[in-house]
Amino acid sequence: MDEKENKSNGKNQSADFDLFGLGGLFKGIEKLIDLAGKLEESGGISKEGEINLDHLKKGMKGVYGFTITTAVGGSPKVETFGNIKKTPEGPKVDEEREPITDIFDEKNEIVIIAEMPGIEETDLKIDLKEDILEVSAKSKNRSYRKEMLLPVKVSKQNLRHKFTNGILEIRIKK
């Protein structure tokens, strides 16, 4: 392959990458993650967006976002969600989304909140193995999956959940 072809290929790959608007997206997310590391007070921020990818597959959407939370006296925690993943080969859009989640370590129980709009409770699957919780759901239009590391090991018998208007609340007694 001659130099002219290489340049041409590089341009096409760059153009394809920019066509999706993902190059700027990941640069922006990286800058925001750097800023999150400098947060010194408690609180948090959240940003999200959606990209229409109908030109790749009808009805396909790229969903991305992140939340940054800080605990009193703790370090900031950055968590991403959505279906656009950064891979060594470049951004990848999955049909399966990672839901927004929060984990609260309370005195007697662990509380997990997950936002999973567009599904029914019957679509949910919850699997707990000691300190690893996996939540997944698959409906006609959406699918979600997330694996979370809990702060302590807990028993599946102590797990209860409810699902209301797209919000999953899981409570596990310690």
Side-chain angles (χ1 to χ4, degrees):
M1 186 180 303
D2 69 336
E3 187 175 321
K4 190 175 182 178
E5 286 177 337
N6 283 337
K7 283 183 180 180
S8 177
N9 286 340
K11 278 186 178 180
N12 286 340
Q13 289 173 347
S14 176
D16 288 343
F17 190 75
D18 287 340
L19 179 66
F20 302 141
L22 300 176
L25 167 72
F26 283 105
K27 286 180 183 172
I29 288 174
E30 287 174 4
K31 285 180 182 177
L32 289 170
I33 290 172
D34 289 341
L35 286 174
K38 297 177 182 173
L39 285 175
E40 292 183 11
E41 57 190 59
S42 64
I45 57 173
S46 178
K47 291 283 183 189
E48 62 184 86
E50 192 171 285
I51 302 169
N52 185 347
L53 300 173
D54 265 346
H55 60 285
L56 295 176
K57 182 178 176 184
K58 185 160 177 61
M60 185 176 202
K61 291 182 180 175
V63 178
Y64 62 92
F66 65 91
T67 58
I68 304 169
T69 56
T70 58
V72 176
S75 59
K77 181 180 170 192
V78 179
E79 187 174 352
T80 60
F81 60 89
N83 64 347
I84 300 175
K85 309 284 189 248
K86 186 176 182 178
T87 69
E89 295 80 33
K92 181 182 171 199
V93 179
D94 288 334
E95 291 192 26
E96 190 172 73
R97 297 178 184 192
E98 189 171 303
I100 300 172
T101 57
D102 279 314
I103 300 174
F104 303 97
D105 187 7
E106 298 183 349
K107 184 178 177 182
N108 299 319
E109 62 186 3
I110 297 170
V111 180
I112 299 100
I113 307 291
E115 294 183 29
M116 303 170 81
I119 62 165
E120 300 293 329
E121 186 169 5
T122 54
D123 301 325
L124 278 170
K125 285 179 72 177
I126 300 170
D127 189 28
L128 176 64
K129 291 179 185 160
E130 297 184 338
D131 60 347
I132 298 174
L133 176 71
E134 181 179 340
V135 176
S136 61
K138 187 167 184 133
S139 72
K140 190 169 77 175
N141 299 321
R142 293 210 179 151
S143 64
Y144 294 94
R145 183 184 171 284
K146 181 148 187 172
E147 190 172 282
M148 295 164 266
L149 180 63
L150 302 177
V152 295
K153 292 181 179 180
V154 287
S155 172
K156 194 173 188 171
Q157 288 79 26
N158 296 329
L159 183 149
R160 59 190 165 90
H161 77 277
K162 67 179 180 178
F163 186 76
T164 309
N165 295 327
I167 305 295
L168 172 65
E169 179 182 311
I170 300 172
R171 291 183 172 272
I172 311 167
K173 287 187 181 176
K174 292 180 179 176

